[in-house]
Amino acid sequence: MARRKWSSASACACLVFTLVCFCWSQQLAGSTGPTLAAAWAASRAPADPSVQRAVVRDNNQTNSGTAGADYYAEGGVRKAGSDEDERAQAYREEAEELQSLLNWAIENSDPEKLRETAAEHKRKGEGWQSERMQEIREIMESVSRQKSEAEIMEEAIAILEAPESNHSHEIKLRSIEVLEDIVGQVDNANVFGDLGGAKLVFNLCDAYNESLCAPALQLLGVAASNNAVFQEKALLDVPNAVELLLGYTQADTAQVAVKAAFAASVILRNTVSARGNFYELGGLDVLVAIFSDETRPLNLRKKAVALASDLATLDGVSVASTFAHPHAIAGITTLLGYGDLDLSEKCLLLIRGLAQADPSLKADLANDSGLKAATDNLLQKMKQDVKVSPYLEELVVLWEELVHSLFSKNHKTEL
């Protein structure tokens, strides 16, 4: 009997301990449901239709931490409309607190001190505005004082026209570079021409300062590029400009020769009168001599071949016979053997231009065994590399058209 009584007491103690632990764990975890004591009190409260029982919320809202606020102390029971009353009361209390703070600040402030503080802030604001306006005025004045591109060109030209002793070589070279940057625009190039730019270039080269002549010729070529107005002005100011450029292409200094060829090409491609003067001066023979001479720089020979191709396309029969001379064909054949694809393309364009300009030359070109062998070797080289470069495919098509028109009516190369 005593053993049974002990067992009942132990069971009750364990049950009470378990319930206490459960309630404590719920409070630590922020449980959303009513406490066990509240639930027990609610179960013992008399039924009242005007009172609605608290309901345990869905588990999806258990982490909000606001569950306990939904229950009143008296047994977890919540009266209808109590939430709205609480919020209204909270707003009233907050407003009363803010109003009391404002009243306290007014009562404990010094009106004179407030006026002084406001006046100080006003003075600072006016001072900042005046400083800002001064900065804006200074910026506007700085912009208005900036030199125009025409004024910069005038100063650069004055430096270049001055005696060598007045300015260092570096300053003169820098002046040429500045001019080159500016005359890239057509309008500026025309202003440069009106300021005597063409005369300036040839004067610099006449002094034959090699380090200034080459950049000066580059400047002339940039200003003349796709600019018929400047070209006409340059030829008017310097009537023997073509002759001078032709002479500079034969200079011993590679850079001077290359830049002269560039400037001459720009002018000759767009000016019929300049080309007539070029032909009269034996310019075609000079071109053949340049691209046939293996001692000349390769980039100079490229420019000579490219210009020859353009002239053959522009003026046809009048120039084709010169470039179809065996000496010229031998030079072209040699260039094809270099394996330089850019140079090879220019050579092929020249050959095609000659054949189109004068159909009677086709037989002479087709019978040249050296040219045929050079084109065959070029094709073999291109076929080895064609898979890695789309550019080569275009070159192969050009070669096929050439071979088909010159060497065999039925010749067609398969890639």
Side-chain angles (χ1 to χ4, degrees):
M1 188 69 177
R3 183 177 182 181
R4 185 179 305 161
K5 184 177 181 180
W6 172 255
S7 300
S8 299
S10 300
C12 291
C14 291
L15 179 59
V16 171
F17 180 75
T18 303
L19 291 175
V20 171
C21 292
F22 176 75
C23 294
W24 182 59
S25 63
Q26 280 192 326
Q27 291 176 359
L28 289 178
S31 171
T32 62
T35 63
L36 185 61
W40 178 78
S43 66
R44 296 178 60 85
D48 187 351
S50 64
V51 177
Q52 51 182 356
R53 301 289 183 183
V55 182
V56 179
R57 291 187 174 181
D58 186 73
N59 290 334
N60 294 333
Q61 301 176 354
T62 57
N63 295 327
S64 64
T66 62
D70 294 331
Y71 297 89
Y72 286 95
E74 54 271 23
V77 180
R78 183 178 61 185
K79 295 182 179 181
S82 61
D83 286 348
E84 290 76 5
D85 294 340
E86 284 189 355
R87 285 195 291 270
Q89 180 63 24
Y91 293 151
R92 284 194 296 271
E93 292 177 355
E94 183 178 0
E96 291 175 357
E97 183 179 359
L98 293 174
Q99 183 63 40
S100 65
L101 289 174
L102 177 60
N103 293 336
W104 179 89
I106 294 174
E107 292 173 357
N108 292 274
S109 62
D110 184 355
E112 186 64 26
K113 183 66 174 178
L114 290 176
R115 283 192 292 270
E116 292 177 0
T117 303
E120 182 180 357
H121 283 292
K122 184 177 180 181
R123 286 194 300 272
K124 289 183 177 180
E126 292 176 351
W128 178 86
Q129 291 180 355
S130 61
E131 291 177 0
R132 184 58 179 163
M133 290 300 297
Q134 181 62 26
E135 291 178 0
I136 294 175
R137 282 193 293 269
E138 290 177 356
I139 293 173
M140 295 300 294
E141 290 175 1
S142 175
V143 171
S144 64
R145 287 196 301 267
Q146 287 184 352
K147 298 176 182 178
S148 66
E149 291 179 326
E151 292 173 336
I152 295 174
M153 283 191 286
E154 289 176 351
E155 290 186 0
I157 291 173
I159 291 173
L160 294 172
E161 290 178 339
E164 189 72 26
S165 58
N166 289 15
H167 302 283
S168 66
H169 175 78
E170 289 74 16
I171 292 178
K172 287 182 174 290
L173 187 60
R174 178 56 184 160
S175 298
I176 295 176
E177 293 173 353
V178 169
L179 288 172
E180 182 181 344
D181 291 338
I182 295 176
V183 301
Q185 297 183 8
V186 174
D187 293 338
N188 292 335
N190 293 337
V191 174
F192 178 64
D194 293 337
L195 294 174
K199 289 183 178 180
L200 170 68
V201 168
F202 289 108
N203 288 337
L204 290 173
C205 288
D206 284 344
Y208 210 74
N209 186 330
E210 295 179 357
S211 59
L212 292 179
C213 183
L217 291 171
Q218 173 73 15
L219 169 62
L220 178 65
V222 171
S225 295
N226 299 316
N227 191 339
V229 174
F230 177 85
Q231 294 174 13
E232 182 179 356
K233 178 64 175 176
L235 294 175
L236 182 64
D237 291 345
V238 187
N240 62 335
V242 174
E243 181 181 3
L244 292 172
L245 290 174
L246 194 59
Y248 294 140
T249 59
Q250 303 174 69
D252 295 332
T253 305
Q255 277 297 99
V256 173
V258 170
K259 300 304 181 183
F262 164 63
S265 298
V266 169
I267 295 175
L268 293 175
R269 287 188 179 99
N270 297 313
T271 310
V272 176
S273 60
R275 290 203 299 272
N277 190 14
F278 180 77
Y279 298 146
E280 292 175 358
L281 296 169
L284 296 176
D285 293 328
V286 173
L287 291 181
V288 172
I290 290 175
F291 68 67
S292 300
D293 188 352
E294 298 184 18
T295 64
R296 305 307 299 274
L298 187 60
N299 55 347
L300 176 61
R301 299 172 74 185
K302 284 183 181 181
K303 291 186 180 298
V305 171
L307 178 57
S309 176
D310 291 339
L311 294 177
T313 302
L314 291 169
D315 296 327
V317 180
S318 59
V319 300
S321 58
T322 300
F323 294 129
H325 190 275
H327 180 59
I329 297 299
I332 296 172
T333 301
T334 301
L335 294 175
L336 286 171
Y338 285 171
D340 185 299
L341 295 179
D342 181 50
L343 180 58
S344 298
E345 181 182 18
K346 289 178 171 56
C347 291
L348 292 176
L349 289 173
L350 173 56
I351 295 172
R352 186 177 67 175
L354 294 176
Q356 292 175 347
D358 188 358
S360 64
L361 297 175
K362 287 185 178 180
D364 296 335
L365 296 172
N367 293 331
D368 192 297
S369 58
L371 181 61
K372 179 64 167 62
T375 54
D376 286 339
N377 292 335
L378 175 62
L379 178 64
Q380 294 302 320
K381 175 177 175 54
M382 289 188 297
K383 288 176 66 175
Q384 294 174 2
D385 301 332
V386 71
K387 294 182 180 180
V388 298
S389 176
Y391 165 77
L392 295 180
E393 294 181 3
E394 298 179 2
L395 199 58
V396 169
V397 172
L398 178 62
W399 183 90
E400 287 181 325
E401 293 176 355
L402 174 65
V403 172
H404 184 72
S405 62
L406 293 180
F407 299 116
S408 173
K409 292 183 179 180
N410 299 322
H411 188 285
K412 186 69 176 178
T413 303
E414 295 183 359
L415 296 179

